[in-house]
Amino acid sequence: MCTRSQESFDNRMDKEKEQEIRQEKEEKDDARISEIGQVTLDNNEKQYRIHLLNIIGEVEGHENSNASQKTTKYEHILPQLAMIEDNKDIDGVLILLNTVGGDVEAGLAIAEMIASLSKPTVSLVLGGGHSIGVPLAVSADYSFIVPSATMMIHPVRSGGMFIGVIQSYRNIEKIQDRITTFVSSHSKLSKERMETLMLDTSQLVKDVGTMLEGKEAVEEGLIDEIGGIKDAMKKLHDMILNKK
């Protein structure tokens, strides 16, 4: 009787301890989501550990954006990506995008980091993947877009100060070339076709460029497939399994 009582007590204590650990993890996850919009997903049936990375609002660069704007800060994202690469327990990365674009240098830095990860990566465009959001979307190993999402391709603008018109043009041209080269090397969209879409004058009333809806982005070869979170997770699980 004493042994059974002890076993019952031990089992109850183990369950309470498990509950405490689970609750503590949930609180930490909630805090991370609130602070930087990131969390590790590990309750799936295959027990893969997937890092969820959100890129939302404006991609913030060296200067702070308006306090009322939703932003993604590259000084938060870059260390997280380095941590992901260094963490042997993380199996893959799921990137959710709904961005209006933002700082070109910061956006390209994040895109290059994602593209250089050794872990399988899948991106999902929700809402919008505009401007510098385009290279961010294609930086993953495989990309999805929901049917209602849009992607805007337009020429690079510069808010900085340069000396002379020719110098300004050459600087913008080089920045634009870096973007088109990156996108064409990480998608099925050719560099020439992207430049054509950038300079289209027939779509945007007050601007130059092209707005692609979900299906059009796939047809152009910019994004791999139409799909939602279920499709993105399944693809990432398959990629992780193949790597293992």
Side-chain angles (χ1 to χ4, degrees):
M1 290 293 292
C2 182
T3 302
R4 289 181 180 177
S5 298
Q6 183 65 41
E7 288 178 355
S8 177
F9 176 78
D10 290 343
N11 289 337
R12 188 167 66 253
M13 292 299 293
D14 288 342
K15 289 181 180 178
E16 289 178 358
K17 186 64 175 178
E18 288 177 6
Q19 178 65 26
E20 288 178 6
I21 294 172
R22 186 160 53 246
Q23 185 174 349
E24 184 179 351
K25 179 183 181 301
E26 289 174 355
E27 289 174 355
K28 287 182 179 179
D29 287 345
D30 289 343
R32 290 186 69 195
I33 292 174
S34 298
E35 290 176 11
I36 54 177
Q38 298 181 44
V39 69
T40 300
L41 308 174
D42 56 6
N43 286 326
N44 55 85
E45 61 180 18
K46 296 181 180 179
Q47 295 185 322
Y48 293 149
R49 288 178 58 83
I50 296 170
H51 189 92
L52 179 65
L53 179 69
N54 286 327
I55 299 177
I56 61 170
E58 181 179 345
V59 178
E60 194 175 84
H62 301 303
E63 297 181 2
N64 291 331
S65 300
N66 190 304
S68 64
Q69 290 180 305
K70 291 284 187 182
T71 62
T72 294
K73 300 178 184 295
Y74 84 109
E75 68 267 28
H76 288 171
I77 301 295
L78 296 184
Q80 284 293 319
L81 290 170
M83 180 276 293
I84 290 167
E85 179 63 27
D86 188 57
N87 192 335
K88 63 180 177 59
D89 294 325
I90 292 179
D91 298 304
V93 185
L94 176 63
I95 304 138
L96 302 182
L97 291 114
N98 186 4
T99 176
V100 295
D103 188 275
V104 172
E105 298 288 346
L108 277 178
I110 296 171
E112 290 284 9
M113 282 281 280
I114 293 171
S116 64
L117 289 174
S118 64
K119 312 291 176 77
T121 56
V122 170
S123 66
L124 174 59
V125 180
L126 303 158
H130 300 165
S131 192
I132 200 62
V134 173
L136 286 167
V138 304
S139 63
D141 298 324
Y142 201 87
S143 57
F144 286 89
I145 186 170
V146 296
S148 61
T150 58
M151 304 189 75
M152 184 185 292
I153 301 172
H154 63 70
V156 172
R157 287 102 171 160
S158 176
M161 186 171 68
F162 302 102
I163 301 173
V165 175
I166 295 177
Q167 289 88 337
S168 298
Y169 174 76
R170 287 176 179 170
N171 185 78
I172 292 173
E173 193 175 41
K174 286 181 180 179
I175 294 172
Q176 193 160 288
D177 185 66
R178 288 161 60 196
I179 294 172
T180 55
T181 299
F182 183 91
V183 171
S184 62
S185 63
H186 289 85
S187 71
K188 302 181 187 72
L189 183 67
S190 69
K191 186 175 180 181
E192 294 73 21
R193 178 57 179 164
M194 184 170 181
E195 289 172 349
T196 299
L197 295 173
M198 272 185 170
L199 301 175
D200 191 343
T201 59
S202 64
Q203 285 200 27
L204 307 179
V205 177
K206 296 182 179 181
D207 205 349
V208 177
T210 301
M211 179 85 78
L212 298 174
E213 294 182 357
K215 184 179 179 182
E216 294 171 323
V218 174
E219 290 173 348
E220 288 284 357
L222 184 62
I223 298 296
D224 291 311
E225 191 175 339
I226 289 282
I229 186 67
K230 175 184 68 176
D231 307 289
M233 290 290 282
K234 183 180 184 304
K235 181 65 177 181
L236 187 54
H237 285 178
D238 290 344
M239 292 167 66
I240 292 169
L241 178 62
N242 289 337
K243 183 173 182 179
K244 284 181 178 294

PDB file of all heavy atoms in Angstrom, residues 5-18:
ATOM      1  N   SER A   5       0.975   4.138  -2.894  1.00  0.00           N
ATOM      2  CA  SER A   5       0.731   5.541  -2.525  1.00  0.00           C
ATOM      3  C   SER A   5       1.895   6.417  -2.962  1.00  0.00           C
ATOM      4  O   SER A   5       1.716   7.540  -3.459  1.00  0.00           O
ATOM      5  CB  SER A   5       0.529   5.661  -1.008  1.00  0.00           C
ATOM      6  OG  SER A   5      -0.598   4.939  -0.595  1.00  0.00           O
ATOM      7  N   GLN A   6       3.106   5.890  -2.783  1.00  0.00           N
ATOM      8  CA  GLN A   6       4.298   6.649  -3.177  1.00  0.00           C
ATOM      9  C   GLN A   6       4.342   6.834  -4.693  1.00  0.00           C
ATOM     10  O   GLN A   6       4.663   7.916  -5.193  1.00  0.00           O
ATOM     11  CB  GLN A   6       5.561   5.921  -2.701  1.00  0.00           C
ATOM     12  CG  GLN A   6       6.860   6.676  -2.996  1.00  0.00           C
ATOM     13  CD  GLN A   6       6.948   7.984  -2.241  1.00  0.00           C
ATOM     14  OE1 GLN A   6       6.579   8.039  -1.076  1.00  0.00           O
ATOM     15  NE2 GLN A   6       7.401   9.040  -2.917  1.00  0.00           N
ATOM     16  N   GLU A   7       4.001   5.756  -5.431  1.00  0.00           N
ATOM     17  CA  GLU A   7       3.987   5.835  -6.885  1.00  0.00           C
ATOM     18  C   GLU A   7       2.936   6.834  -7.358  1.00  0.00           C
ATOM     19  O   GLU A   7       3.172   7.617  -8.277  1.00  0.00           O
ATOM     20  CB  GLU A   7       3.694   4.454  -7.485  1.00  0.00           C
ATOM     21  CG  GLU A   7       4.856   3.484  -7.359  1.00  0.00           C
ATOM     22  CD  GLU A   7       4.509   2.121  -7.928  1.00  0.00           C
ATOM     23  OE1 GLU A   7       3.331   1.929  -8.317  1.00  0.00           O
ATOM     24  OE2 GLU A   7       5.401   1.259  -7.982  1.00  0.00           O
ATOM     25  N   SER A   8       1.774   6.802  -6.729  1.00  0.00           N
ATOM     26  CA  SER A   8       0.712   7.743  -7.079  1.00  0.00           C
ATOM     27  C   SER A   8       1.136   9.172  -6.822  1.00  0.00           C
ATOM     28  O   SER A   8       0.886  10.071  -7.625  1.00  0.00           O
ATOM     29  CB  SER A   8      -0.545   7.406  -6.272  1.00  0.00           C
ATOM     30  OG  SER A   8      -1.567   8.346  -6.549  1.00  0.00           O
ATOM     31  N   PHE A   9       1.807   9.359  -5.684  1.00  0.00           N
ATOM     32  CA  PHE A   9       2.299  10.700  -5.330  1.00  0.00           C
ATOM     33  C   PHE A   9       3.353  11.169  -6.334  1.00  0.00           C
ATOM     34  O   PHE A   9       3.327  12.314  -6.796  1.00  0.00           O
ATOM     35  CB  PHE A   9       2.878  10.678  -3.911  1.00  0.00           C
ATOM     36  CG  PHE A   9       3.500  11.980  -3.495  1.00  0.00           C
ATOM     37  CD1 PHE A   9       2.708  13.059  -3.098  1.00  0.00           C
ATOM     38  CD2 PHE A   9       4.883  12.136  -3.509  1.00  0.00           C
ATOM     39  CE1 PHE A   9       3.294  14.262  -2.715  1.00  0.00           C
ATOM     40  CE2 PHE A   9       5.475  13.328  -3.127  1.00  0.00           C
ATOM     41  CZ  PHE A   9       4.665  14.392  -2.731  1.00  0.00           C
ATOM     42  N   ASP A  10       4.271  10.271  -6.677  1.00  0.00           N
ATOM     43  CA  ASP A  10       5.342  10.613  -7.627  1.00  0.00           C
ATOM     44  C   ASP A  10       4.767  10.958  -9.000  1.00  0.00           C
ATOM     45  O   ASP A  10       5.216  11.899  -9.656  1.00  0.00           O
ATOM     46  CB  ASP A  10       6.325   9.449  -7.748  1.00  0.00           C
ATOM     47  CG  ASP A  10       7.152   9.261  -6.490  1.00  0.00           C
ATOM     48  OD1 ASP A  10       7.195  10.203  -5.668  1.00  0.00           O
ATOM     49  OD2 ASP A  10       7.743   8.167  -6.328  1.00  0.00           O
ATOM     50  N   ASN A  11       3.775  10.181  -9.438  1.00  0.00           N
ATOM     51  CA  ASN A  11       3.146  10.440 -10.736  1.00  0.00           C
ATOM     52  C   ASN A  11       2.458  11.798 -10.753  1.00  0.00           C
ATOM     53  O   ASN A  11       2.525  12.529 -11.740  1.00  0.00           O
ATOM     54  CB  ASN A  11       2.126   9.346 -11.065  1.00  0.00           C
ATOM     55  CG  ASN A  11       2.790   8.025 -11.390  1.00  0.00           C
ATOM     56  OD1 ASN A  11       3.950   7.991 -11.786  1.00  0.00           O
ATOM     57  ND2 ASN A  11       2.058   6.928 -11.216  1.00  0.00           N
ATOM     58  N   ARG A  12       1.787  12.102  -9.633  1.00  0.00           N
ATOM     59  CA  ARG A  12       1.105  13.390  -9.540  1.00  0.00           C
ATOM     60  C   ARG A  12       2.106  14.538  -9.570  1.00  0.00           C
ATOM     61  O   ARG A  12       1.893  15.557 -10.219  1.00  0.00           O
ATOM     62  CB  ARG A  12       0.263  13.443  -8.264  1.00  0.00           C
ATOM     63  CG  ARG A  12      -0.631  14.691  -8.192  1.00  0.00           C
ATOM     64  CD  ARG A  12      -1.675  14.586  -7.104  1.00  0.00           C
ATOM     65  NE  ARG A  12      -1.066  14.568  -5.775  1.00  0.00           N
ATOM     66  CZ  ARG A  12      -0.987  13.488  -4.989  1.00  0.00           C
ATOM     67  NH1 ARG A  12      -1.479  12.335  -5.418  1.00  0.00           N
ATOM     68  NH2 ARG A  12      -0.431  13.559  -3.804  1.00  0.00           N
ATOM     69  N   MET A  13       3.218  14.357  -8.865  1.00  0.00           N
ATOM     70  CA  MET A  13       4.258  15.398  -8.848  1.00  0.00           C
ATOM     71  C   MET A  13       4.877  15.570 -10.231  1.00  0.00           C
ATOM     72  O   MET A  13       5.180  16.686 -10.647  1.00  0.00           O
ATOM     73  CB  MET A  13       5.340  15.030  -7.826  1.00  0.00           C
ATOM     74  CG  MET A  13       4.878  15.074  -6.376  1.00  0.00           C
ATOM     75  SD  MET A  13       4.333  16.739  -5.889  1.00  0.00           S
ATOM     76  CE  MET A  13       5.900  17.620  -5.963  1.00  0.00           C
ATOM     77  N   ASP A  14       5.074  14.443 -10.949  1.00  0.00           N
ATOM     78  CA  ASP A  14       5.638  14.517 -12.302  1.00  0.00           C
ATOM     79  C   ASP A  14       4.717  15.279 -13.240  1.00  0.00           C
ATOM     80  O   ASP A  14       5.165  16.097 -14.050  1.00  0.00           O
ATOM     81  CB  ASP A  14       5.882  13.101 -12.852  1.00  0.00           C
ATOM     82  CG  ASP A  14       7.050  12.410 -12.162  1.00  0.00           C
ATOM     83  OD1 ASP A  14       7.852  13.121 -11.530  1.00  0.00           O
ATOM     84  OD2 ASP A  14       7.129  11.167 -12.252  1.00  0.00           O
ATOM     85  N   LYS A  15       3.401  15.010 -13.124  1.00  0.00           N
ATOM     86  CA  LYS A  15       2.437  15.699 -13.978  1.00  0.00           C
ATOM     87  C   LYS A  15       2.388  17.189 -13.666  1.00  0.00           C
ATOM     88  O   LYS A  15       2.292  18.025 -14.570  1.00  0.00           O
ATOM     89  CB  LYS A  15       1.049  15.079 -13.798  1.00  0.00           C
ATOM     90  CG  LYS A  15       0.922  13.692 -14.406  1.00  0.00           C
ATOM     91  CD  LYS A  15      -0.478  13.135 -14.217  1.00  0.00           C
ATOM     92  CE  LYS A  15      -0.592  11.740 -14.835  1.00  0.00           C
ATOM     93  NZ  LYS A  15      -1.946  11.159 -14.628  1.00  0.00           N
ATOM     94  N   GLU A  16       2.466  17.508 -12.373  1.00  0.00           N
ATOM     95  CA  GLU A  16       2.463  18.920 -11.984  1.00  0.00           C
ATOM     96  C   GLU A  16       3.718  19.624 -12.497  1.00  0.00           C
ATOM     97  O   GLU A  16       3.665  20.771 -12.934  1.00  0.00           O
ATOM     98  CB  GLU A  16       2.378  19.043 -10.458  1.00  0.00           C
ATOM     99  CG  GLU A  16       1.013  18.652  -9.897  1.00  0.00           C
ATOM    100  CD  GLU A  16       0.966  18.741  -8.384  1.00  0.00           C
ATOM    101  OE1 GLU A  16       2.019  19.077  -7.788  1.00  0.00           O
ATOM    102  OE2 GLU A  16      -0.106  18.469  -7.798  1.00  0.00           O
ATOM    103  N   LYS A  17       4.849  18.902 -12.448  1.00  0.00           N
ATOM    104  CA  LYS A  17       6.102  19.481 -12.945  1.00  0.00           C
ATOM    105  C   LYS A  17       6.035  19.707 -14.452  1.00  0.00           C
ATOM    106  O   LYS A  17       6.473  20.754 -14.957  1.00  0.00           O
ATOM    107  CB  LYS A  17       7.265  18.530 -12.614  1.00  0.00           C
ATOM    108  CG  LYS A  17       8.637  19.088 -12.958  1.00  0.00           C
ATOM    109  CD  LYS A  17       8.966  20.321 -12.134  1.00  0.00           C
ATOM    110  CE  LYS A  17      10.385  20.798 -12.402  1.00  0.00           C
ATOM    111  NZ  LYS A  17      10.691  22.031 -11.641  1.00  0.00           N
ATOM    112  N   GLU A  18       5.472  18.730 -15.177  1.00  0.00           N
ATOM    113  CA  GLU A  18       5.310  18.864 -16.628  1.00  0.00           C
ATOM    114  C   GLU A  18       4.414  20.051 -16.970  1.00  0.00           C
ATOM    115  O   GLU A  18       4.672  20.800 -17.906  1.00  0.00           O
ATOM    116  CB  GLU A  18       4.721  17.575 -17.216  1.00  0.00           C
ATOM    117  CG  GLU A  18       5.693  16.415 -17.237  1.00  0.00           C
ATOM    118  CD  GLU A  18       5.056  15.148 -17.757  1.00  0.00           C
ATOM    119  OE1 GLU A  18       3.882  15.212 -18.199  1.00  0.00           O
ATOM    120  OE2 GLU A  18       5.706  14.089 -17.728  1.00  0.00           O
TER     121      GLU A  18
END
